[in-house]
Amino acid sequence: SGLREAKLAEILAPLGHKNVTNITVFKTSKVEDPDTRKKGLLYSLQFTDLDLQKECKGFVYQDNKRKFQKDIDCK
C-alpha cells in the first residue's frame, strides 16, 4: 500500500537510502531476539535507489524501541 511505502521510505532515508522509488514489501514478520526476548518487525523488501542508480533488496529490522537496522544489497 502507498502508506506502508511512504513509511518505509522514511525508514530507509536515515539508513543511507534517501532517494528511493518502487518499494515492494514481500513480507513483514514478527520476530523475537533469542538473547533479549525482545520482539521486533522484519521487513523483506526491494526498491530502486535513484541516487545509486541501482536495484536494492534485503531486510530492514525494527526493534521494540523503534530503532532500525538494515541488511540491504544493491546491484
Side-chain angles (χ1 to χ4, degrees):
S1 72
L3 188 64
R4 185 162 64 169
E5 273 193 35
K7 180 183 169 205
L8 280 163
E10 281 179 31
I11 292 167
L12 287 165
L15 296 175
H17 299 283
K18 294 178 175 29
N19 190 5
V20 300
T21 187
N22 298 331
I23 299 172
T24 304
V25 178
F26 300 113
K27 197 166 146 190
T28 305
S29 312
K30 286 186 166 64
V31 293
E32 184 177 84
D33 185 308
D35 300 324
T36 63
R37 314 284 296 164
K38 299 272 196 272
K39 291 184 173 23
L41 278 177
L42 187 68
Y43 298 95
S44 170
L45 61 117
Q46 78 176 24
F47 58 91
T48 304
D49 187 311
L50 297 171
D51 292 334
L52 296 174
Q53 294 285 303
K54 292 183 176 181
E55 294 294 319
C56 305
K57 66 179 172 185
F59 301 96
V60 173
Y61 174 72
Q62 174 185 347
D63 71 18
N64 67 327
K65 295 188 176 79
R66 298 196 54 75
K67 289 202 170 79
F68 295 94
Q69 298 169 341
K70 66 169 182 170
D71 179 9
I72 293 172
D73 186 34
C74 299
K75 294 188 167 109

